[in-house]
């Protein structure tokens, strides 16, 4: 199938498919006129790539995980699981940082409210 059909069947833009191919996540054959052609299996592969992106993984990380799909083995599965655990741990660290940032902002808002209240009280008294 051509890129437009894959795009329609997979529910992603042609631009995304070209990007996936540039990143080595998707492959195609080329016709004599240079048009990309894909197999029916690529629809499922694009759906899998989309799930990986939805999980917050980068194209580089996805490229590291795809050998597990392309050549399944216990070793490839172990490698993929280790890589996903690293990503999960990084996300957990990022979430903790965001929580600290939110708490700091909340503290600033509390201080600003208290200051505003002091200004109101001084204006009423003055």
């Amino acid at each position: 199938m051509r890129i437009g059909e894959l795009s329609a069947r997979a529910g992603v833009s042609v631009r995304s498919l070209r990007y996936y191919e540039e990143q080595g996540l998707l492959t195609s054959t080329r016709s004599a006129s240079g048009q990309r052609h894909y197999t029916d299996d690529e629809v499922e592969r694009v759906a899998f790539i989309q799930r990986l992106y939805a999980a917050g993984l980068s194209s580089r990380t996805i490229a590291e995980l795809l050998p597990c799909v392309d050549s399944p083995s216990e070793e490839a599965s172990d490698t993929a699981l280790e890589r996903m655990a690293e990503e999960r741990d990084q996300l957990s660290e990022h979430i903790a940082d965001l929580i600290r940032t939110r708490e700091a902002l909340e503290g600033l808002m509390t201080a600003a409210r208290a200051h505003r209240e002091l200004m109101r009280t001084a204006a009423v008294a003055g």
Side-chain angles (χ1 to χ4, degrees):
M1 81 185 86
R2 293 185 12 202
I3 195 167
E5 184 180 347
L6 177 59
S7 171
R9 288 180 56 189
V12 300
S13 68
V14 168
R15 183 175 180 211
S16 292
L17 296 175
R18 288 186 182 124
Y19 176 77
Y20 298 165
E21 197 164 338
E22 287 171 13
Q23 298 303 306
L25 309 178
L26 189 64
T27 58
S28 66
T29 57
R30 297 287 183 131
S31 68
S33 62
Q35 293 180 333
R36 292 174 170 91
H37 288 274
Y38 302 93
T39 66
D40 287 338
D41 293 337
E42 301 307 319
V43 175
E44 186 176 322
R45 185 178 185 89
V46 169
F48 181 65
I49 291 168
Q50 288 287 293
R51 287 194 304 275
L52 294 171
Y53 274 121
L57 301 179
S58 67
S59 56
R60 183 197 305 175
T61 301
I62 293 170
E64 292 174 19
L65 296 175
L66 287 176
C68 183
V69 175
D70 298 335
S71 302
S73 69
E74 190 171 333
E75 181 181 344
S77 292
D78 289 345
T79 300
L81 286 168
E82 288 173 18
R83 187 66 179 101
M84 286 186 282
E86 289 172 9
E87 289 293 322
R88 182 207 50 219
D89 293 346
Q90 287 177 359
L91 282 171
S92 295
E93 289 176 27
H94 186 63
I95 290 167
D97 288 343
L98 287 171
I99 290 170
R100 283 190 292 276
T101 301
R102 182 185 64 199
E103 290 169 351
L105 180 58
E106 191 63 44
L108 289 171
M109 292 170 68
T110 299
R113 286 184 189 109
H115 180 71
R116 182 183 65 193
E117 191 57 37
L118 283 174
M119 289 182 355
R120 282 185 184 160
T121 303
V124 170

